[in-house]
Amino acid sequence: MHTLTESLDNIRLLPLARPVAEVDPNAVVVSTGDCTLTYAELDSWSNRLARLLLGIGATANTRIAIAITDEIESVVAERAIVKIGATPAPITDDGSFALGTALGVTTKSQRGELTDAISWLVLDDRSTLQRYLAGSDAPLTAAEFALPKSA
């Protein structure tokens, strides 16, 4: 397995988020038995997911729970969260998450086991997939982070 992630207790350390132009875009970030994720793919996929997170109200400094068992989806979610300046908050073995967590990213198979105390973006939900696939994978711009002005 070619993975550049490390686990320290419940914290995963990804390689620093650098523009794809600074690394080999075909270099493998993470690999599982049936899929390999390159830097170029990670960049594209995480840009799309970052836009979905911004669309549901995530902002810089938002704490976002990650409840995903699939390694590749988990890496993409973590990178998307970091790209928007938010903080990834892994779910612990007992199902808890850091105080102040308002949003979360998960899958259908895990959603039933999770609390309703926070809003969940379900990655494999049909409406989420449609928005994800229709979204841009271009680099995020500063304008996308602008908060709406109150009247």
Side-chain angles (χ1 to χ4, degrees):
M1 177 191 258
H2 301 295
T3 180
L4 298 178
T5 61
E6 299 176 38
S7 292
L8 300 173
D9 296 319
N10 288 326
I11 300 172
R12 177 186 337 234
L13 301 174
L14 287 175
L16 292 176
R18 297 183 292 173
V20 172
E22 293 181 14
V23 296
D24 177 0
N26 296 315
V28 174
V29 176
V30 73
S31 179
T32 64
D34 60 349
C35 191
T36 299
L37 184 71
T38 66
Y39 274 96
E41 292 165 332
L42 174 60
D43 197 46
S44 293
W45 296 4
S46 62
N47 286 341
R48 286 182 175 175
L49 183 54
R51 285 186 173 87
L52 286 180
L53 292 169
L54 290 168
I56 63 169
T59 62
N61 302 320
T62 300
R63 191 168 287 141
I64 303 174
I66 301 174
I68 304 170
T69 55
D70 181 86
E71 186 69 17
I72 289 180
E73 288 176 347
S74 180
V75 168
V76 172
E78 186 171 343
R79 182 56 54 92
I81 292 166
V82 170
K83 277 186 176 185
I84 64 173
T87 303
I91 300 292
T92 63
D93 289 339
D94 68 358
S96 64
F97 47 86
L99 186 63
T101 303
L103 298 171
V105 180
T106 192
T107 58
K108 285 181 187 178
S109 65
Q110 292 182 268
R111 179 58 187 100
E113 302 167 15
L114 301 169
T115 179
D116 291 331
I118 63 176
S119 297
W120 293 98
L121 178 65
V122 181
L123 294 178
D124 51 352
D125 179 75
R126 183 182 174 130
S127 65
T128 302
L129 286 170
Q130 289 173 332
R131 289 181 293 152
Y132 178 82
L133 294 172
S136 170
D137 66 353
L140 298 168
T141 65
E144 292 177 278
F145 293 94
L147 296 174
K149 295 186 170 122
S150 55

